[in-house]
Amino acid sequence: MSKAFIAQVIQESADTTGVAANRAATDVMQAIIRELKKNGRFTLPSFGTFIVRKTKARKGLNPRTGEAIKVKAGKTVRFKASPSLKKLV
């Protein structure tokens, strides 16, 4: 799924212009990002939950040279599908 796909669905559903639909899709995505930054999670009922998880620092390998490297600790976003979504798919 892409932002263009979401904008197209909004445009067809709301019978609006492509520019307005693209702006609405951008606003929705920005709202989700703000919520993830603020609370660390975002839930869409009947769809699923996005959760920010911390990753630990670890050792990795450079795939080109095979040399050992250090990977810094960071954050990643995980998605857990709701039971109703799992049944539908």
Side-chain angles (χ1 to χ4, degrees):
M1 183 183 317
S2 65
K3 185 175 123 180
F5 174 76
I6 294 171
Q8 181 183 2
V9 170
I10 292 171
Q11 181 180 3
E12 292 170 359
S13 175
D15 193 30
T16 185
T17 66
V19 173
N22 192 24
R23 191 175 323 126
T26 301
D27 290 345
V28 168
M29 293 172 78
Q30 291 299 322
I32 292 171
I33 292 168
R34 277 194 309 271
E35 189 68 19
L36 285 171
K37 285 183 178 180
K38 181 179 176 185
N39 295 328
R41 68 185 306 134
F42 178 78
T43 302
L44 285 170
S46 301
F47 187 72
T49 303
F50 296 91
I51 304 166
V52 176
R53 298 276 175 126
K54 293 181 181 178
T55 59
K56 296 180 180 180
R58 63 190 188 280
K59 292 182 182 179
L61 291 177
N62 182 333
R64 289 189 184 182
T65 64
E67 179 184 350
I69 59 172
K70 292 181 181 179
V71 179
K72 295 180 181 179
K75 295 180 182 178
T76 187
V77 177
R78 305 281 180 161
F79 176 74
K80 182 177 179 184
S82 71
S84 59
L85 177 63
K86 288 180 183 180
K87 285 181 186 177
L88 293 173
V89 177

